[in-house]
Amino acid sequence: MDRAQKEELVTSLSGVFKSTSVVVVAHYSGLTVAQMSKLRRQMKASGASVKVAKNRLAKIALEGSDVAHVGNLLKGPTIIAYSSDPVAAPKVAVDFAKAHDKFVILGGAFGSTALNVDGVKALATMPSLDELRAKLVGLIQAPATKIAQLSTAPAAKLARVFAAYAKENEAA
């Protein structure tokens, strides 16, 4: 890697660290290429990204960002997962770590808050932004359907009463 490529990598990483809401750092030593590809596909499908960068360059990119405290986790072969959705990257990382023993989560950051392994796992258990939106829409729609049911119920009751009187009059 020449100097220009390193500068470009540092610039892109610093942009990532300043714009994302969550960063997860993990060791990936011992994973096969197929497993790494699977991790990248899963991250991309959930709206997150994965980056393998030299630790020294990543530490330079971390300077001046809210997640600068993640720098002390960058030792050995590390991978950086990030997303703008606060739950996407931790959820995929934790699920992947359960299936692959060689993928070890070291910690991360949520905004300016440092996360240990348990913090990343706790963040992974939360519902995603899309799930929360779906629940909110469901809550908003529920009263509307109940109002519609209540407004049609009296008319249905009246129709049954009229039908009963009609049958009574026919019988008499």
Side-chain angles (χ1 to χ4, degrees), residues 42-158:
Q42 288 176 351
M43 286 284 185
K44 187 175 183 180
S46 70
S49 299
V50 175
K51 195 84 157 169
V52 176
K54 292 186 180 256
N55 293 338
R56 187 176 48 82
L57 297 176
K59 286 178 183 178
I60 293 169
L62 281 168
E63 292 174 6
S65 68
D66 290 341
V67 294
H69 48 80
V70 173
N72 60 358
L73 299 174
L74 298 173
K75 293 179 182 124
T78 55
I79 193 167
I80 300 166
Y82 54 90
S83 65
S84 55
D85 181 0
V87 181
K91 191 171 283 213
V92 173
V94 168
D95 289 343
F96 194 80
K98 286 178 186 174
H100 301 88
D101 294 338
K102 305 220 186 238
F103 187 78
V104 180
I105 297 173
L106 301 174
F110 177 58
S112 59
T113 307
L115 298 173
N116 59 7
V117 178
D118 294 329
V120 173
K121 288 180 181 177
L123 201 57
T125 60
M126 295 177 70
S128 70
L129 210 51
D130 290 336
E131 290 171 358
L132 288 174
R133 286 180 183 142
K135 286 181 183 180
L136 186 62
V137 168
L139 288 173
I140 291 171
Q141 285 180 341
T145 55
K146 288 183 180 178
I147 289 172
Q149 289 171 348
L150 290 175
S151 66
T152 59
K157 286 181 182 176
L158 281 175

Side-chain angles (χ1 to χ4, degrees), residues 33-48 50 92 96:
V33 173
Q35 291 169 334
M36 285 295 290
S37 296
K38 181 180 177 185
L39 174 63
R40 289 179 195 276
R41 279 192 307 273
Q42 288 176 351
M43 286 284 185
K44 187 175 183 180
S46 70
V50 175
V92 173
F96 194 80

